[in-house]
Amino acid sequence: MAQTFGDSGDNALTAFTTHATTRSYSCWFYRTAANNLGRIFEKRTVGAQVELIYNDNDGVSPDQMNYGRAWSGATDCQWRIGTIPSQDAWHNIIVTYDGSSTANDPIGYIDGVSQSITEVNGPPSGSLNTNTDAYVIGNRNTGTDRTWIGNLAEFAIWDRILTAAEAD
């Protein structure tokens, strides 16, 4: 079932708090407006964020989807996952990441199609940061900034890398 989010700071707090070195994430999204830093999810309720997928629409660069993962030596590692598809339509994003090596980049799919990956911030160094916070779906848990405007559905996490065939 889809949940609607707006710019009022509403979100869905999960009970899921664990970490894994290898992860895959999937979510169906429907944007009804531009989302400058709008979150699909972030792993943060009170501490520093350590994982997130968000829409970056700063009005300067093309509308993008980004994946971020915090590392102890470079806490703000981010990668651009292709160009975001159109508003007012359902799309699926899948991001896989193997944090066992700082040399690894995520793999991203939008609507089953492999996307180009561009390092925006990084490279990673040190070890993966973790926290005990829950995964928050939709708007940022700490206020009304960085809001997702639209719908999100079927958010899922796997402790393994999904294959290209599974992403299709």
Side-chain angles (χ1 to χ4, degrees):
M1 174 186 261
Q3 184 166 345
T4 301
F5 300 93
D7 59 4
S8 63
D10 51 338
N11 57 49
L13 186 65
T14 71
F16 191 60
T17 61
T18 62
H19 282 275
T21 302
T22 302
R23 278 275 161 89
S24 294
Y25 310 91
S26 176
C27 190
W28 285 90
F29 64 91
Y30 187 103
R31 295 178 315 131
T32 57
N35 287 292
N36 186 25
L37 305 177
R39 304 311 202 232
I40 286 182
F41 83 85
E42 73 176 347
K43 188 169 188 320
R44 161 174 137 157
T45 55
V46 295
Q49 71 189 17
V50 295
E51 299 175 75
L52 74 158
I53 295 177
Y54 65 98
N55 177 201
D56 188 1
N57 179 339
D58 60 9
V60 178
S61 57
D63 208 0
Q64 303 287 329
M65 293 302 286
N66 285 1
Y67 169 70
R69 185 66 175 96
W71 286 75
S72 63
T75 58
D76 196 17
C77 297
Q78 297 175 25
W79 296 267
R80 185 166 292 129
I81 311 293
T83 301
I84 194 168
S86 62
Q87 287 182 194
D88 301 318
W90 280 104
H91 301 283
N92 178 252
I93 185 167
I94 295 175
V95 176
T96 67
Y97 186 60
D98 180 355
S100 65
S101 169
T102 58
N104 292 341
D105 287 325
I107 299 169
Y109 305 90
I110 296 179
D111 295 333
V113 177
S114 180
Q115 300 294 302
S116 62
I117 304 297
T118 305
E119 190 174 273
V120 176
N121 228 2
S125 64
S127 58
L128 288 174
N129 284 353
T130 62
N131 65 27
T132 58
D133 293 351
Y135 283 81
V136 179
I137 301 168
N139 299 326
R140 183 178 222 179
N141 197 50
T142 57
T144 58
D145 64 335
R146 301 175 186 186
T147 56
W148 181 267
I149 302 173
N151 300 307
L152 298 171
E154 299 182 24
F155 175 68
I157 300 174
W158 293 264
D159 288 345
R160 65 181 182 85
I161 300 296
L162 295 179
T163 65
E166 290 172 309
D168 188 16

